Amino acid sequence: MKLDVTKTRKDFPILERELRAGVRLTYLDSTATSQKPVAVIEAMNDFYRMSNANIHRGVHTLAEEATALYEGARERIAKFINAASARQVIYTRNTTESINLVAYTWARANLKQGDLVVLTEMEHHSNLVPWHMLQAECGIELDFIPVTEDGLLDLETYKTLLDRRPKLVSFTHMSNVLGTINPAAEMIRLAHEAGAVTLVDGAQSVPHLKVDMQALDADFYAFSAHKMCGPTGIGALYGKAALLESMPPFMGGGDMIKEVKLRSFRPNTLPHKFEAGTPAIAEAVGFGAAVDYLTNLGMDNIAAHEHEVTEYSL
């Protein structure tokens, strides 16, 4: 199936600006944030108009409806990335917060002075600054896979870095600057053979490619809703269940506790262990609607259309 661009344009209210201004609007900044289709806007509007309530803490009708919508979106997001369980999908604010969650929990519990973290020269600030902060705090070492003249990662240098037995390998699946799609499955396999945990920045890949967590075998995978036709202020961290269960909580407060006393607490089970306080409920509903929208279009069709547009541009 080929995308009908004329029909798809009608899904996005902002493109009606051209009717008011008399100037055709073509938006090419989806790397920064994507526009939102009617389906996402209406899903969030319907939530606020019909089902608004706090979740996980009430037994009245609206609370149960809101909880079902929130958790139903998580189920669809998990299916979209082929996670084995929705328990492995943690709601965050965005890719940046997802990476910071790993840095503040898993990394601080498992890395010590002198441990090596391997990154790449094509990383977004979100996958650089948290590791600089950790380096200043506890003395980890950072090294980088270089980028070749044709915009690809130098995998031979990567293999040399793996000989140094890094504890973590963290890299972008798809560059937000170059558009390079890195061989994530191969890089993850090589990292695991060297005994490293892997974290993948999927902010650009999830909106443009069909991603499969079980096939990639990444330990952590981070992405944002706002780059995939969803609302701002919400994203997700996928993690392998055993790792997530072994990690300390990220933030303390309501909903991330199973039991609390004046002098102690017991954290909640996955995924709620990492979701303290009242979450972005309407945004989660919109996130689920965005996943439905992309699923209906077909990720293979989206990728084919983008290749066609790129070839035309070149």
Side-chain angles (χ1 to χ4, degrees):
M1 182 183 85
K2 189 174 183 179
L3 288 184
D4 185 339
V5 180
T6 303
K7 181 179 178 182
T8 304
R9 282 179 61 85
K10 296 176 181 177
D11 292 341
F12 293 85
I14 199 168
L15 299 184
E16 294 178 1
R17 282 172 50 117
E18 66 189 56
L19 301 179
R20 300 195 300 270
V23 177
R24 182 177 175 86
L25 175 63
T26 300
Y27 183 81
L28 297 174
D29 199 22
S30 294
T31 299
T33 195
S34 61
Q35 296 299 333
K36 319 308 174 191
V38 173
V40 170
I41 297 168
E42 289 184 345
M44 297 175 69
N45 186 53
D46 287 347
F47 169 77
Y48 279 129
R49 290 171 62 91
M50 305 297 293
S51 303
N52 181 53
N54 215 327
I55 60 170
H56 298 150
R57 62 196 72 187
V59 294
H60 56 85
T61 299
L62 292 181
E64 292 187 350
E65 286 182 5
T67 299
L69 288 166
Y70 180 82
E71 294 301 339
R74 193 197 308 270
E75 292 279 353
R76 302 201 303 283
I77 294 163
K79 182 178 180 182
F80 185 71
I81 62 171
N82 195 30
S85 169
R87 296 172 60 246
Q88 297 173 267
V89 175
I90 311 299
Y91 284 126
T92 62
R93 287 187 305 143
N94 42 46
T95 304
T96 299
E97 185 170 284
S98 295
I99 294 171
N100 274 272
L101 191 160
V102 176
Y104 273 87
T105 57
W106 179 85
R108 279 168 170 77
N110 290 277
L111 300 184
K112 62 184 185 302
Q113 184 174 355
D115 285 344
L116 175 63
V117 172
V118 171
L119 308 170
T120 85
E121 289 182 350
M122 64 171 63
E123 295 310 309
H124 187 278
H125 298 158
S126 299
N127 199 28
L128 283 175
V129 177
W131 309 113
H132 286 309
M133 293 169 67
L134 189 61
Q135 183 180 42
E137 179 182 320
C138 68
I140 62 170
E141 293 185 21
L142 303 179
D143 213 334
F144 300 87
I145 307 169
V147 177
T148 64
E149 290 185 1
D150 52 2
L152 304 176
L153 290 180
D154 184 340
L155 294 185
E156 291 306 312
T157 299
Y158 175 48
K159 293 174 184 177
T160 301
L161 290 171
L162 291 178
D163 289 339
R164 294 165 56 190
R165 311 300 288 183
K167 293 294 181 67
L168 176 71
V169 173
S170 188
F171 64 92
T172 183
H173 194 165
M174 181 176 179
S175 170
N176 69 311
V177 175
L178 302 172
T180 303
I181 302 172
N182 290 318
E186 180 185 1
M187 293 178 68
I188 291 165
R189 178 183 61 80
L190 292 170
H192 286 165
E193 289 177 356
V197 168
T198 56
L199 166 60
V200 181
D201 175 352
Q204 301 300 336
S205 50
V206 174
H208 300 280
L209 311 169
K210 184 183 291 184
V211 297
D212 184 329
M213 293 302 103
Q214 296 185 68
L216 284 174
D217 198 31
D219 298 297
F220 298 107
Y221 199 99
F223 54 105
S224 299
H226 76 95
K227 295 181 187 288
M228 48 190 293
C229 298
T232 56
I234 191 165
L237 173 70
Y238 161 86
K240 289 185 176 178
L243 282 171
L244 293 173
E245 287 169 350
S246 71
M247 289 156 50
F250 182 32
M251 293 184 290
D255 223 31
M256 54 70 64
I257 49 169
K258 174 68 73 175
E259 179 184 58
V260 63
K261 300 178 182 179
L262 287 178
R263 300 184 184 278
S264 65
F265 79 96
R266 187 158 54 94
N268 210 338
T269 55
L270 296 177
H272 313 299
K273 170 183 176 182
F274 296 103
E275 297 177 9
T278 297
I281 306 170
E283 287 78 4
V285 173
F287 198 173
V291 161
D292 293 341
Y293 180 80
L294 294 177
T295 299
N296 289 335
L297 284 180
M299 295 308 296
D300 290 338
N301 297 324
I302 290 171
H305 176 71
E306 290 179 352
H307 282 297
E308 182 179 330
V309 171
T310 301
E311 289 175 3
Y312 172 79
S313 301
L314 293 173

